[in-house]
């Protein structure tokens, strides 16, 4: 496979955050100030899985020297983001910048037409370990705020029973990932190159001149307000803003100016089956 042929370090993080992972994506999620590791499991080659609580991880219990080990995870782009923005930048662990250090069992499964979800990979490959769905539900209850207090701060669920289920669930995921790693083929060279480039691009993100964008947005608001004031005056108060399409169409018709309305193909047809053009001011008509 990739990197040192002997040492393959399998890892899996369970995290919590006020950010919505599905809404913001892995990088923004990992960068969020509230994002922290609840626990992590890891195993080197065929050694037993070790599980560390978040407190242990923050205290530096995870090995500092990973040597030349290849770090294997399922959906490694998420683990890479958590490593960079939480493990490295928040907790002080050494960075892992070389994309060649990472391997992804999810990408390898998808490459050969298998499902992407870990539980589906385990089922389809009939692996000796299967996903603990009850443990996953417990983890999700801990991973997201249970509500907010009167000051607007997040309230977290720290139910010991749920924590115990999560700590039992996490190492099983590592076992599934390790079993999948042994049977899935390595990515083809060109697939591997694409995967590594994707990792780099996602890390880099899209550079935006934020101050310029903020000024442009402010200018747009000022100009829009001014133009809406002019429209309100011209229409004698009949139309307050340009987004009031129905009012604008009625006002133009009332002025006897229907020819100013753009024509678009409508849903109605004439007796010959030909579409009748309709007056409109929606996006399609204006384009």
């Amino acid at each position: 496979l990739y990197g040192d042929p002997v040492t393959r370090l399998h890892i899996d993080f369970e995290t919590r955050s006020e950010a919505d992972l599905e809404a913001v994506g892995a990088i923004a999620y990992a960068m969020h100030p509230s994002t922290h590791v609840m626990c992590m499991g890891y195993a080197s080659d065929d050694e037993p899985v070790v599980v560390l609580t978040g407190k242990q991880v923050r205290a530096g219990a995870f090995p500092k020297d990973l040597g030349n080990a290849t770090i294997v995870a399922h959906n490694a782009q998420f683990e890479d983001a958590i490593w960079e923005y939480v493990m490295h930048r928040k907790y002080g662990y050494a960075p892992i910048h070389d994309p060649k250090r990472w391997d992804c069992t999810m990408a390898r499964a998808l490459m050969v037409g298998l499902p992407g979800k870990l539980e589906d990979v385990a089922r389809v490959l009939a692996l000796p370990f299967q996903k603990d769905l009850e443990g996953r539900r417990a983890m999700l209850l801990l991973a997201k705020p249970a509500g907010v207090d009167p000051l607007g701060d997040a309230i977290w669920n720290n139910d010991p029973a749920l924590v115990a289920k999560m700590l039992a669930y996490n190492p099983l995921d590592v076992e599934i990932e390790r079993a999948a790693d042994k049977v899935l083929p390595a990515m083809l060279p060109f697939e591997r190159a694409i995967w590594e480039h994707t990792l780099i691009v996602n890390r880099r993100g899209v550079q935006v001149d934020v101050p310029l964008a903020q000024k442009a947005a402010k200018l747009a608001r000022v100009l829009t307000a001014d133009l809406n004031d002019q429209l309100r005056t011209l229409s004698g108060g009949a139309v307050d803003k340009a987004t009031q399409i129905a009012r604008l169409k009625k006002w133009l018709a009332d002025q006897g100016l229907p020819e100013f309305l753009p024509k678009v193909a409508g849903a109605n047809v004439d007796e010959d089956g030909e579409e009748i053009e309709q007056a409109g001011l929606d996006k399609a008509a204006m384009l």
Side-chain angles (χ1 to χ4, degrees):
L1 291 170
Y2 317 106
D4 189 323
V6 176
T7 305
R8 295 180 68 75
L9 182 65
H10 305 268
I11 67 171
D12 184 60
F13 292 116
E14 310 301 345
T15 59
R16 68 170 28 167
S17 178
E18 295 174 30
D20 184 335
L21 176 58
E22 292 186 2
V24 304
I27 300 291
Y29 175 90
M31 291 176 68
H32 198 277
S34 69
T35 303
H36 284 280
V37 172
M38 293 190 291
C39 73
M40 73 171 296
Y42 68 94
S44 180
D45 294 327
D46 291 322
E47 295 295 317
V49 178
V50 177
V51 179
L52 299 176
T53 64
K55 183 177 181 179
Q56 290 173 316
V57 173
R58 291 190 295 275
F62 187 72
K64 296 294 187 298
D65 184 6
L66 302 182
N68 294 319
T70 295
I71 300 98
V72 187
H74 197 78
N75 188 13
Q77 301 225 8
F78 175 77
E79 259 68 23
D80 174 72
I82 294 299
W83 188 277
E84 174 64 21
Y85 292 102
V86 181
M87 296 292 284
H88 171 48
R89 301 197 186 191
K90 287 182 180 176
Y91 302 163
Y93 288 90
I96 306 175
H97 289 154
D98 186 356
K100 288 181 170 50
R101 294 287 306 279
W102 289 94
D103 193 10
C104 181
T105 51
M106 185 177 82
R108 288 160 57 195
L110 292 171
M111 185 190 71
V112 293
L114 295 179
K117 287 186 177 181
L118 186 61
E119 58 264 36
D120 293 335
V121 172
R123 174 179 52 80
V124 171
L125 293 178
L127 298 178
F129 304 95
Q130 296 294 312
K131 189 86 169 180
D132 175 7
L133 297 181
E134 183 178 347
R136 183 175 186 276
R137 284 191 289 270
M139 179 273 293
L140 291 175
L141 289 173
L142 299 168
K144 301 176 182 179
V148 294
D149 64 20
L151 297 177
D153 294 325
I155 299 173
W156 297 101
N157 188 340
N158 294 309
D159 183 345
L162 294 177
V163 172
K165 288 183 179 181
M166 177 187 67
L167 293 176
Y169 157 81
N170 175 263
L172 184 56
D173 268 10
V174 178
E175 294 284 17
I176 297 172
E177 292 169 8
R178 179 163 56 182
D181 180 48
K182 291 181 178 180
V183 298
L184 288 170
M187 279 183 265
L188 298 173
F190 80 94
E191 293 278 10
R192 177 71 199 185
I194 292 171
W195 187 85
E196 290 182 11
H197 184 67
T198 301
L199 183 64
I200 293 169
V201 169
N202 287 341
R203 287 173 176 176
R204 184 184 300 145
V206 178
Q207 296 189 359
V208 176
D209 187 336
V210 175
L212 177 62
Q214 291 172 335
K215 289 179 180 178
K218 182 178 179 180
L219 179 61
R221 288 193 296 270
V222 171
L223 292 175
T224 299
D226 180 61
L227 291 170
N228 281 334
D229 287 342
Q230 294 182 48
L231 177 60
R232 191 178 302 108
T233 301
L234 287 170
S235 66
V239 186
D240 289 321
K241 56 183 72 172
T243 54
Q244 295 174 335
I245 302 301
R247 288 193 191 184
L248 185 54
K249 287 173 64 176
K250 181 178 184 304
W251 181 76
L252 287 170
D254 290 345
Q255 309 313 304
L257 301 171
E259 66 271 13
F260 282 88
L261 295 174
K263 299 296 191 296
V264 293
N268 296 329
V269 295
D270 62 19
E271 60 185 10
D272 296 321
E274 298 292 331
E275 285 193 345
I276 302 173
E277 287 191 332
Q278 302 292 311
L281 284 173
D282 58 7
K283 184 176 180 180
M286 298 308 291
L287 291 175

